[in-house]
Amino acid sequence: MDTSIQLSSYSEDLRREYRRLRRQYADLVARFDHLYLFEKPYLEALYLQTVGNLIYEVLELKVEIAELQYRRQLLQAYINRDETPDLASIDIEIEIKMEEYNEMLQEEEERIQTAKAYLEAKALPNEDAEELKRLYRLLVKRLHPDTHPNQSEREKDLFLQVQTAYRLCDLQKLREITMLLDGKDIDYEQIQSSGLDMETLVNQMKERVAMMEQRIQALEADFPFTYRDKLNDPVWVENEKQELQQQIDELTEERDHLRRIVEVMQEYEGTRK
């Protein structure tokens, strides 16, 4: 068999493999972006809406218990010295000590309110949402810099516009960019100008595909994706609420016990001045 024919066939196989890998990578990028930009915040918001108030109540009780424990510690120091506690000084110390805890509480409350607003916001109709995803996948294939290394500055700017429009659910903007590119089958397989042979490009693209697959797997293995199925399971939701309520009951009992101790300690009158 003619060696030149074999080389030509091998080169064509490499080009086909490169095009396949480039499409696969673009699809993976589009999937990762959808998971991160849309499904992740939605699942977080849904989780907080489902059990967020109970989670906040648990956190609030833990902060209150921490404050009471610190107050008891300060009171005990006065009692050990047989001194009447200086409640005003103790209040100041506690206010400083608890500043970080109170900020944490405020952040959690803001998260719950943000989740509520997110779920109440008007979403795109299903048909428009599907078109948004479809156009984004198409434009990623045409403009993503990892699959098109020889882009012009104009095309790089277009891809940034695509990403922004997708994040903002600006369907009209994606339509406009798609119309701008219609009829332009952008192809950047200019091997000579890149200085790399096709085999090297294929191997690079395989590495990119593998890395993107790993990023997707890592994302889906973490919160909130680990609750994706559970949040649609009413039995799990009810059990989760019951467990949180039980925790609330136990923490409430602990808090009330500490309150009684602190109230008694605050009434201590020492013999030393």
Side-chain angles (χ1 to χ4, degrees), residues 56-70 94 97-106 108 251 255 258:
Y56 181 81
E57 194 171 346
V58 167
L59 183 60
E60 193 173 32
L61 283 165
K62 286 182 177 180
V63 169
E64 193 172 353
I65 287 169
E67 179 180 341
L68 287 166
Q69 288 173 336
Y70 187 54
I94 287 176
K97 176 76 171 180
M98 300 304 296
E99 183 176 355
E100 184 177 343
Y101 289 97
N102 290 326
E103 286 178 0
M104 182 174 60
L105 267 179
Q106 184 177 350
E108 188 64 23
L251 290 170
R255 180 203 61 189
L258 281 169

Side-chain angles (χ1 to χ4, degrees), residues 41 144 167 228 249:
H144 197 286
R167 185 170 59 251
R228 181 191 273 150
D249 293 341

Side-chain angles (χ1 to χ4, degrees), residues 23-33 209 212-213 216:
R23 288 193 299 270
Q24 182 182 2
Y25 180 74
D27 286 340
L28 288 169
V29 168
R31 173 166 171 72
F32 179 88
D33 287 348
V209 166
M212 187 54 66
E213 287 175 336
I216 290 173

Side-chain angles (χ1 to χ4, degrees), residues 11 30 35 179 193 265:
S11 296
L35 288 170
M179 288 178 64
S193 63
M265 295 177 75

Side-chain angles (χ1 to χ4, degrees), residues 34-63:
H34 177 75
L35 288 170
Y36 189 79
L37 294 174
F38 291 98
E39 192 165 352
K40 183 175 185 287
Y42 170 74
L43 288 172
E44 287 176 345
L46 187 60
Y47 178 81
L48 287 173
Q49 183 193 55
T50 303
V51 295
N53 290 333
L54 294 174
I55 291 173
Y56 181 81
E57 194 171 346
V58 167
L59 183 60
E60 193 173 32
L61 283 165
K62 286 182 177 180
V63 169

